[in-house]
């Protein structure tokens, strides 16, 4: 295991932590990126035997077992789609285009080729409405 140690200047106030801005990357990770990483971690816990089942993970995470199942279903996506989700650009403002709920139909499709077609459609955005003249 490699341990990296780095000093970051942190000043605490009554409610907020102030971090040296030179160390902070602007924007936040999209929620789907965090959920994809969490799904991979859950899968690792189950495979290694450190978690006994979905209910155990749900208790640890203080969420319901069905929610854990929804998150874990992201591991059924094709590896290239998972990678794309993990490396989505940070968001500075606004609402993300991709959500876990939008990806559920993809996770139910077991054929990765069909998943990739659905993913391409999802990435291109909703179909535009016809313009009436």
């Amino acid at each position: 295991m490699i341990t990296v140690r780095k000093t970051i200047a942190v000043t605490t106030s009554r409610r907020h932590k102030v971090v040296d801005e030179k160390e902070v990357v602007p924007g936040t990770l999209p929620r789907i990126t965090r959920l994809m990483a969490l799904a991979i971690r859950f899968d690792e816990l189950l495979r290694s035997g450190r978690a006994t089942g979905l209910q155990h993970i749900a208790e640890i995470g203080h969420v319901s077992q069905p929610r854990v199942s929804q998150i874990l279903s992201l591991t059924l996506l094709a590896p290239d789609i998972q990678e794309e989700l993990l490396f989505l650009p940070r968001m500075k403002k606004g609402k993300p285009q991709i959500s876990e709920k939008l990806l559920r139909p993809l996770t139910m499709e077991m054929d990765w080729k069909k998943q990739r077609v659905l993913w391409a459609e999802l990435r291109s955005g909703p179909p535009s409405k016809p313009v009436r003249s």
Side-chain angles (χ1 to χ4, degrees):
M1 177 189 293
I2 298 173
T3 304
V4 177
R5 295 179 188 238
K6 187 170 184 172
T7 306
I8 299 176
V10 177
T11 321
T12 58
S13 65
R14 195 168 174 195
R15 291 183 153 211
H16 299 56
K17 287 184 180 180
V18 181
V19 180
D20 184 7
E21 290 184 26
K22 294 175 188 172
E23 302 293 329
V24 177
V25 177
T28 58
L29 289 174
R31 181 169 174 79
I32 191 62
T33 297
R34 296 191 308 266
L35 286 174
M36 186 70 243
L38 190 60
I40 292 168
R41 179 70 175 139
F42 285 173
D43 188 54
E44 178 187 322
L45 289 173
L46 288 169
R47 289 177 188 269
S48 69
R50 288 187 283 176
T52 56
L54 298 183
Q55 190 59 43
H56 185 210
I57 292 175
E59 289 168 5
I60 294 168
H62 303 287
V63 294
S64 67
Q65 184 271 326
R67 183 64 182 140
V68 171
S69 294
Q70 287 174 338
I71 294 169
L72 263 172
S73 71
L74 292 172
T75 61
L76 300 174
L77 293 169
D80 53 318
I81 297 173
Q82 290 184 31
E83 184 177 4
E84 233 181 293
L85 292 173
L86 288 169
F87 292 101
L88 287 173
R90 289 179 172 266
M91 296 176 15
K92 294 186 179 143
K93 62 179 181 176
K95 198 172 180 181
Q97 178 187 1
I98 301 164
S99 69
E100 181 265 334
K101 191 174 182 178
L102 285 174
L103 289 173
R104 286 183 199 161
L106 272 75
T107 64
M108 289 186 253
E109 178 58 61
M110 291 295 118
D111 183 3
W112 285 353
K113 288 180 183 180
K114 291 179 183 175
Q115 277 186 7
R116 289 178 181 111
V117 169
L118 293 170
W119 173 245
E121 290 172 5
L122 182 65
R123 290 287 286 162
S124 65
S128 58
K129 294 180 182 179
V131 178
R132 293 184 183 184
S133 47

